[in-house]
Each structure stands twice: as structure tokens, then as C-alpha cells.
């Protein structure tokens, strides 16, 4: 069983925009540090006033990340593409997606269609930090999927 939340670059979106975003993040981290990067990300990830506590927790935790490791992991996504291999997956796949992520749901759906025995579940009113933003909904979908997989055996 494979479970994914449709994060990372697997060929979604415009590679030039992706490169520019990575360069923007590198600049923030190098010049202002990880806390500033967390603040920049949190504003877009948790925009609702009711999410103030989640935003604050996210920033505090983000600031603890190793900047060298973060930049290396971020850069490694450039050029990484598994689209041609998606059809080779031979197990049930659940792809979770937020409806307001960086890449359009329609593009994700086209890629997920390449995977046999897969499904895409879109969680409404959510962004790139889906498990943090909507943990109860994510856990419910995961539990249902795993139960279905167990029952298929």
C-alpha cells in the first residue's frame, strides 16, 4: 500500500516557476534564517485567523530545522520526476491533496490516473500543509483506505 499527499515535484506545474520558488526560499534562508522562512510559509499555509496557534507552532518548529539540510532537500526536488514510472506501481495507492495547493488538483488528477488501483482524495479548504491543517480529515481518509486494503486480502 502506498499513501502519498501529492507533495513534492513529480512533474507538476511549471519547472521555471519551481526553480524561481526554490531560489526565493534559498534567499530567505541564507539572508534571514529558518524562522523567517517559517514565517513566510506559514502566512500562505495557514491564512485563517482561527489558525493563529497552528501558524505560531509551525514557525517555532520550522525555526528548529537545519538550514543546510532544508536547502539540500529543497534543491534535490529540481529535476526529480517519476511520472514515467507511476504506471509501474502494483499496490493500492491513496493520493491526498489539498484543494488550494501549489499545483492545481486537475494536474494532480491527470498524474494519479496513470497509477493502476489508485484514487485521489481532495480535502477542501486546505493548503500544502494538509496533515497539520486538517489532521482529523486526513486521519479519517487514511483509516478508511487502510481498512479497505485490509478487507481486500
Amino acid at each position: 500500500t502506498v499513501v502519498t499527499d501529492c507533495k513534492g515535484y513529480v512533474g507538476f506545474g511549471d519547472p521555471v516557476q519551481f526553480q524561481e520558488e526554490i531560489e526565493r526560499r534559498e534567499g530567505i534562508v541564507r539572508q534571514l534564517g529558518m524562522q523567517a522562512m517559517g514565517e513566510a510559509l506559514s502566512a500562505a499555509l495557514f491564512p485563517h485567523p482561527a489558525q493563529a496557534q497552528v501558524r505560531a507552532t509551525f514557525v517555532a518548529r520550522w525555526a528548529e530545522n537545519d538550514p543546510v539540510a532544508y536547502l539540500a532537500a529543497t534543491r534535490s526536488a529540481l529535476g526529480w520526476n517519476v511520472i514515467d514510472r507511476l504506471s509501474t506501481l502494483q499496490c493500492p495507492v491513496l493520493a491526498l491533496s489539498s484543494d488550494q495547493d501549489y499545483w492545481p488538483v486537475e494536474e494532480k488528477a491527470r498524474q494519479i490516473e496513470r497509477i493502476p488501483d489508485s484514487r485521489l482524495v481532495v480535502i477542501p479548504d486546505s493548503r500544502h500543509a494538509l496533515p497539520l491543517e486538517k489532521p482529523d480529515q486526513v486521519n479519517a481518509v487514511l483509516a478508511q483506505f487502510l481498512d479497505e486494503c485490509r478487507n481486500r486480502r
Side-chain angles (χ1 to χ4, degrees), residues 40-111:
L41 292 171
S42 71
L45 294 174
F46 311 106
H48 301 302
Q51 296 174 314
Q53 184 58 48
V54 175
R55 242 187 335 272
T57 300
F58 177 87
V59 171
R61 289 182 181 168
W62 194 269
E64 296 173 4
N65 287 324
D66 176 353
V68 174
Y70 169 70
L71 291 176
T74 302
R75 265 188 246 107
S76 73
L78 281 173
W80 184 78
N81 188 315
V82 297
I83 288 176
D84 291 339
R85 297 174 54 201
L86 293 177
S87 64
T88 66
L89 291 172
Q90 297 180 4
C91 60
V93 174
L94 169 64
L96 293 176
S97 178
S98 51
D99 66 340
Q100 298 172 44
D101 198 0
Y102 303 124
W103 293 284
V105 171
E106 298 77 24
E107 180 66 24
K108 292 175 188 176
R110 278 194 295 279
Q111 303 308 338

